[in-house]
């Protein structure tokens, strides 16, 4: 079974210089050779060094997980065919049979134990980013070659979700493999559909088909990734036929790509861009009355937050700023993904109602506010600040939009220097953002890591804890949807939009299956008929 089918069933530096580089090293395309221009700059071959999408996407050709997420973010069998929580703190995973690593050795439970122990005991920060996924594991054992037993520290109903982030490595005969040894590619073997061929850090990754792949013969005989950080260069390479696929195409270039004969696919990203309020302070930085005099924090009143949300014209952001490659938002993930609520749908701007609600809250003439945000961090972020300012002006709120480099923005936001700001959140599941952005901050547990506004709702915290204690599956998704319904009625943030991942592909590719997490893989591409 090909990975693309698994997804469906469960789913420049100068542009010219980069194009010359592509053209000079390009392999003439055949039906079995795939050339991809990617923005993902793979800097290591160690599958446990970094949790960034750069590694997740590119190394998924070589390595596989016990469990994976389909295009709806539901969990599906990978190297594990089933998993069961046999007690509150004990999980049992049954492994897929007749799977072999690229060197011919059999995949067994010992490889899973080795992988988890390598992350838990061997890798150290900053290369230990995956330790967050194994933090709850007390012990791991292999009672037989086809079974893995994991004991957890307390109840961990989402352990399979955590393991969906971890690539399984082969247990070698010389102890834990170092990152340096893996980068030397002396023994880079996985169970994935493609074998490692060559790698030049920050430049290319070359792969060959694994004809013995347990899931069936992969579609492409050779795959070459060329790292092209400039969007203009990726677009040019696709338009001139130097590559077959280009990822993360700017919305403004879609029409150009289509005019040159390429096809375009897009999908709403599993993330939200939103406005967040300072709620912990009695006065909010950058907020005054119309004369510039300090006032009590207006954002503490849910009516004010609701009025501001009602006064945002999301269609301007989606249709004009993002050229249609965005989806207006009412919750953290796009509707239809696991854990989202079908009750929440984005509404058009209602200025008269918003102005009346603002007056009811004691601000008939509005107030003045500085709206802060990063510049160049997200698609259309600067234009979005301007669009919100224009919308809020229609209900009497005078806005000064200020965009700064993300490093500056992040420092000032963390220091509490903003009254209202523009941010984003993404994750492998919707509760990651529910917990990070809206749960009461708790340094001991890490809750509220992105709750810079100090929002606190004890009823919500309790509901979220209960939902997260439910085993992964339909019941948990339903509970998370109900939690989302409850908290969004309090207007703790203003959801704006889900931007789209946009990919283009040429005539050698018949179809490309998009994933909301923005992965770029050969397994998502179907070859065109000869």
């Amino acid at each position: 079974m090909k990975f693309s089918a698994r997804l469906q069933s469960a789913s420049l530096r100068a542009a010219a210089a980069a194009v010359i580089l592509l053209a000079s090293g390009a392999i003439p395309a055949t039906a079995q050779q795939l050339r991809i221009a990617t923005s993902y700059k793979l800097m290591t071959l160690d599958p446990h060094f970094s949790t960034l999408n750069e590694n997740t996407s590119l190394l998924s050709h070589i390595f596989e997980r016990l469990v994976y997420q389909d295009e709806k973010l539901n969990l599906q069998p990978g190297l594990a065919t089933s998993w069961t929580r046999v007690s509150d703190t004990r999980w049992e995973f049954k492994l897929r049979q007749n799977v072999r690593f690229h060197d011919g050795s059999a995949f067994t439970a010992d490889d899973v134990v080795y992988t988890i122990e390598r992350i838990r005991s061997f890798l150290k920060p900053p290369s230990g980013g995956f330790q967050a996924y194994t933090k709850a594991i007390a012990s791991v054992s292999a009672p037989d070659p086809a079974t893995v037993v994991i004991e957890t520290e307390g109840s961990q109903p989402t352990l399979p979700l955590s393991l969906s982030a971890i690539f399984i490595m082969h247990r070698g005969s010389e102890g834990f493999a170092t990152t340096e040894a893996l980068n030397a590619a002396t023994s880079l073997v996985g169970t994935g559909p493609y074998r490692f061929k060559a790698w030049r850090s920050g430049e290319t990754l070359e792969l060959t088909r694994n004809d013995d792949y347990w899931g069936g013969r992969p579609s492409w005989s050779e795959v070459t990734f060329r790292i092209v950080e400039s969007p203009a260069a990726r677009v040019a390479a696709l338009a001139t036929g130097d590559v077959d696929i280009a990822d993360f195409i700017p919305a403004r270039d879609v029409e150009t790509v289509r005019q040159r004969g390429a096809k375009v696919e897009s999908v709403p990203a599993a993330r939200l861009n939103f406005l967040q309020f300072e709620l912990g302070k009695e006065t909010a930085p950058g907020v005054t009355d119309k004369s510039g005099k300090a006032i009590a924090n207006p954002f503490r009143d849910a009516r004010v937050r609701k009025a501001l949300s009602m006064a945002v014209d999301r269609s301007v952001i989606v249709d004009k700023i993002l050229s249609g490659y965005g989806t207006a938002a009412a919750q953290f993930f796009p509707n239809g993904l696991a854990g989202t609520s079908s009750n929440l749908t984005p509404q058009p701007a209602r200025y008269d109602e918003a102005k009346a609600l603002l007056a009811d809250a004691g601000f008939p003439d509005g107030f003045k506010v500085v709206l802060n945000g990063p510049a160049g961090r997200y698609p259309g972020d600067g234009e979005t600040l301007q669009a919100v300012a224009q919308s809020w002006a229609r209900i009497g709120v005078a806005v000064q939009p200020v965009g700064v480099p993300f490093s500056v923005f992040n420092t000032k936001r963390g220091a509490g220097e903003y009254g209202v700001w523009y941010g984003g959140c993404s994750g492998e599941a919707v509760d990651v953002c529910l917990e990070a952005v809206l749960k009461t901050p708790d340094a001991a547990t890490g809750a509220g890591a992105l709750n810079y506004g100090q929002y606190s709702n004890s009823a919500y915290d309790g509901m979220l804890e209960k939902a997260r204690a439910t085993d992964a599956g339909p019941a948990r998704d339903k509970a998370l949807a109900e939690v989302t319904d409850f908290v969004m009625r309090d207007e703790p943030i203003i959801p704006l939009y889900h931007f789209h991942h946009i990919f283009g592909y040429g005539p050698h590719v018949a179809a490309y299956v998009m994933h909301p997490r923005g992965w770029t893989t050969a397994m998502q591409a179907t070859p065109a008929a000869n």
Side-chain angles (χ1 to χ4, degrees), residues 40-51:
Y40 286 144
K41 191 174 183 179
L42 182 67
M43 299 302 294
T44 178
L45 296 177
D46 186 338
H48 304 147
F49 186 88
S50 171
T51 58

Side-chain angles (χ1 to χ4, degrees), residues 37 104 110 124 153 180 277 437:
D110 283 341
K124 303 299 181 185
E153 301 281 1
E180 291 74 18
F277 304 102
V437 177

Side-chain angles (χ1 to χ4, degrees), residues 73 118 178 186 265 272 412 458:
L73 302 187
R118 180 176 188 262
T178 66
T186 55
E265 298 286 350
L272 174 69
K412 289 179 175 291
S458 60

Side-chain angles (χ1 to χ4, degrees), residues 79-82 92-98 107-110 112 141-149:
L79 291 177
T81 56
S82 65
E92 184 177 274
F93 291 79
K94 291 295 184 181
L95 305 185
R96 193 175 296 278
Q97 299 296 290
N98 302 316
F107 161 66
T108 71
D110 283 341
V112 179
S141 60
D144 62 66
T147 306
V148 173
V149 173

Side-chain angles (χ1 to χ4, degrees), residues 60-64 100 102 190-195 210 213-214 218:
S60 68
H61 296 79
I62 302 168
F63 302 97
E64 295 184 290
R100 293 195 172 275
H102 298 156
T191 61
Y194 292 92
R195 300 170 182 263
N210 176 14
Y213 182 53
W214 63 265

Side-chain angles (χ1 to χ4, degrees), residues 312-384:
V312 172
D313 189 345
R314 294 167 178 82
S315 67
V316 170
I317 301 173
V318 169
D319 297 334
K320 296 183 179 181
I321 297 174
L322 299 176
S323 303
Y325 287 94
T327 299
Q331 56 188 314
F332 278 105
F333 279 8
N335 290 44
L337 296 188
T340 59
S341 171
S342 60
N343 298 326
L344 295 172
T345 55
Q347 299 296 313
R350 293 170 286 168
Y351 297 113
D352 290 341
E353 293 179 52
K355 189 170 179 59
L357 191 57
L358 204 59
D360 187 56
F363 298 95
D365 299 320
F367 47 86
K368 294 174 68 175
V369 62
V370 177
L371 176 60
N372 301 276
R377 173 73 171 180
Y378 308 112
D381 47 16
E383 296 94 331
T384 296

Side-chain angles (χ1 to χ4, degrees), residues 202-224:
E203 296 182 21
T204 61
L205 174 67
E206 297 177 50
L207 307 164
T208 60
R209 178 162 54 203
N210 176 14
D211 287 316
D212 298 322
Y213 182 53
W214 63 265
R217 192 168 182 259
S219 297
W220 307 96
S221 62
E222 304 283 337
V223 178
T224 300

